[in-house]
Amino acid sequence: MTKALLLIDIQNGFCPGGNLPVEDGDKVVPVANALMKSGRYDLVVASQDWHPANHGSFASQHAGATPFDLGELSGKPQVLWPDHCVQNTPDAEFHPALDISAIAYVQKKGENPAVDSYSAFRDNDHSALTGLADYLRRKGVTELDVMGLATDYCVKFSALDAVDMLPGIKVRFIEDGSRGIDPQGVKAAIDEMKSAGVATVSSRDILAA
Ligand code: VGL
Ligand code: ZN
């Protein structure tokens, strides 16, 4: 049994003060730190949203668009975001209170300006893999707990892809270690994950086990 913790996009951009802030996004940091410190995981990996300044998911790249509009990217529906997590800017850095010393592997994503990559495993159009699935396979991971930002986007799509791309691995969603953009979207995301076989757990349960 090899247990891994996957920390999704715990970056300044998704925390209060960032460019795409998730309400209470910074509250997931102490949860992540406690889980990493607990010794319950054999492996900790993290994803990092890492966009070029001209990324096509940014409203700024679409004439007349406003952030959070529903637009199009490469012919597919795309929520148009405020510019966020631009490579090599403070917005893209991990939250300063996140203890990164235990993170063995960082998966950057969202580098192709023509497609968004909510999942840490592959682009939204499923054409390009990031390499994270191969890495986890190589490490022999059998159980994967997923948490971070944002529940209704990158956390959800990462958990669903883990189920899809790593057959046989047990995937769980850590609810108190995650925060979402839209409350309705969070509810729907948890239902969707549940339907796919992703169990919801709390860090308290994990730390007590
Ligand atoms: C995310 C929107 C755009 C996320 C990333 O990390 O959930 N959401 N880019
Ligand atoms: Zn993004």
Side-chain angles (χ1 to χ4, degrees):
M1 213 168 59
T2 301
K3 293 189 181 198
L5 176 65
L6 170 56
L7 305 175
I8 299 292
D9 300 0
I10 306 182
Q11 296 167 257
N12 289 325
F14 301 115
C15 291
N19 287 341
L20 178 40
V22 176
E23 193 178 343
D24 290 335
D26 55 332
K27 300 260 168 74
V28 309
V29 173
V31 177
N33 288 344
L35 288 171
M36 287 190 279
K37 226 178 123 183
S38 72
R40 295 241 181 346
Y41 293 97
D42 304 301
L43 180 69
V44 181
V45 299
S47 67
Q48 194 172 19
D49 214 32
W50 193 251
H51 296 307
N54 67 341
H55 197 266
S57 73
F58 297 168
S60 63
Q61 301 302 303
H62 300 258
T66 303
F68 305 101
D69 281 353
L70 185 60
E72 257 191 27
L73 180 57
S74 300
K76 299 222 169 82
Q78 167 75 43
V79 179
L80 300 178
W81 303 107
D83 291 18
H84 65 277
C85 297
V86 171
Q87 296 166 8
N88 302 305
T89 67
D91 202 62
E93 286 169 15
F94 288 119
H95 187 285
L98 183 69
D99 176 11
I100 57 170
S101 65
I103 299 173
Y105 177 88
V106 175
Q107 182 62 65
K108 290 182 161 67
K109 64 184 179 67
E111 296 176 74
N112 178 353
V115 60
D116 212 351
S117 187
Y118 294 142
S119 164
F121 291 95
R122 55 185 167 184
D123 285 344
N124 288 2
D125 64 5
H126 290 186
S127 59
L129 306 184
T130 58
L132 180 60
D134 277 339
Y135 177 84
L136 296 177
R137 260 184 231 116
R138 207 157 62 233
K139 293 289 177 186
V141 171
T142 55
E143 297 184 18
L144 183 68
D145 287 351
V146 184
M147 60 162 279
L149 306 170
T151 306
D152 39 347
Y153 288 92
C154 293
V155 174
K156 177 187 85 169
F157 284 106
S158 296
L160 294 177
D161 274 351
V163 170
D164 204 38
M165 297 170 70
L166 300 165
I169 290 191
K170 191 175 139 196
V171 181
R172 303 191 300 181
F173 161 65
I174 306 173
E175 190 167 19
D176 62 319
S178 304
R179 294 292 188 280
I181 292 174
D182 166 58
Q184 285 300 112
V186 168
K187 270 196 183 175
I190 292 173
D191 285 347
E192 227 182 299
M193 287 191 279
K194 192 174 175 186
S195 300
V198 177
T200 294
V201 289
S202 78
S203 64
R204 223 168 8 115
D205 296 340
I206 295 168
L207 295 170

